[in-house]
Amino acid sequence: MSFGKILEVENLRKKYKDVVAVDGVSFTVYAGEIVGLLGPNGAGKTTTIDMLLGIVEPSGGSIRVFGKDFARHRAEILAQVNFSAVYAHLPGNTTVRQNLFIFGLLYGVSQIKKRIEVLLKEFHLEKFARTRTGFLSSGEQSRVHLAKAMLNSPRLILLDEPTASIDPSDSEIIREKIRKYAADTGAAVLWTSHDMYEIEDVCDRVLFISHGKILLEGNPRELPAQYGKKNLEELFIAATRKPLSLMYHPV
């Protein structure tokens, strides 16, 4: 793994009127590293990702990607970033191939038709190439989202529940493809999921976020024991119910 910094977040904040959604979050993701961002619903995970994508304007703090300030070099940075999120629906009246072609144009992908064929094969979407995306099952749509996320060979991938609604066999294939992509290209991956097995399996490091703050950080296979928990799921439940006790009382 290369240790160059791909994503640097420092004291990132987002406030909506009287609600602080993200409260001074700081973390770094290195080249070739897959980092899990864990937390209950409403903890600030999606808001953080939305700020990293430029969808939401931060209230404070800084984001650096590829060593460049995001606010100043947004267009240049986003050309090398991609994402997959269950809530970001693709146009349902266009086919899978048409969807990928449109996004390929937006990202300026060279040899776009060839790239699409490669991704259709990799994500087992060939038989759905001419199917309107709106007629696909939720699992099939998730695979299209992931194919879209790989279109521009991104150096930073943001994945928000990327395997939601995919059966266990397909989920394992997706995890392996993302792991291999990060290892082969040195791309960095930020990955949210409620599947603790998946996080243990795929992530090099995890960050627990609660009430907009990072509470814990470490290796997902070692961190539970440090807090007297049997596994990541038990630690997740404790971090959700009693976050302050974990912050100050590691084993």
Side-chain angles (χ1 to χ4, degrees), residues 36-133:
L37 185 62
L38 305 182
N41 292 332
K45 303 185 303 296
T46 296
T47 301
T48 297
I49 287 180
D50 285 348
M51 286 190 283
L52 298 178
L53 288 168
I55 297 171
V56 171
E57 189 75 20
S59 302
S62 66
I63 302 169
R64 293 182 66 81
V65 187
F66 319 129
K68 298 180 179 180
D69 180 72
F70 183 80
R72 295 182 179 181
H73 302 276
R74 175 172 167 169
E76 178 186 349
I77 288 169
L78 288 178
Q80 302 175 77
V81 176
N82 214 317
F83 75 102
S84 174
V86 293
Y87 52 81
H89 300 292
L90 296 171
N93 287 327
T94 51
T95 68
V96 170
R97 182 179 276 113
Q98 288 170 339
N99 261 300
L100 294 177
F101 187 79
I102 291 167
F103 280 101
L105 292 175
L106 292 173
Y107 279 103
V109 177
S110 62
Q111 296 184 308
I112 183 171
K113 291 183 179 179
K114 182 178 179 180
R115 179 64 177 157
I116 288 171
E117 295 309 312
V118 168
L119 291 169
L120 288 173
K121 183 176 181 179
E122 281 192 7
F123 289 95
H124 308 293
L125 291 166
E126 292 166 297
K127 67 179 179 180
F128 303 113
R130 296 184 179 181
T131 303
R132 292 184 182 182
T133 306

Side-chain angles (χ1 to χ4, degrees), residues 130-143:
R130 296 184 179 181
T131 303
R132 292 184 182 182
T133 306
F135 287 95
L136 298 177
S137 70
S138 56
E140 291 158 357
Q141 289 191 33
S142 294
R143 296 211 304 274

Side-chain angles (χ1 to χ4, degrees), residues 197-214:
Y197 167 78
E198 176 171 89
I199 291 297
E200 287 182 355
D201 182 48
V202 77
C203 292
D204 303 297
R205 187 160 47 95
V206 293
L207 309 168
F208 276 89
I209 186 170
S210 181
H211 301 291
K213 294 179 178 289
I214 300 292

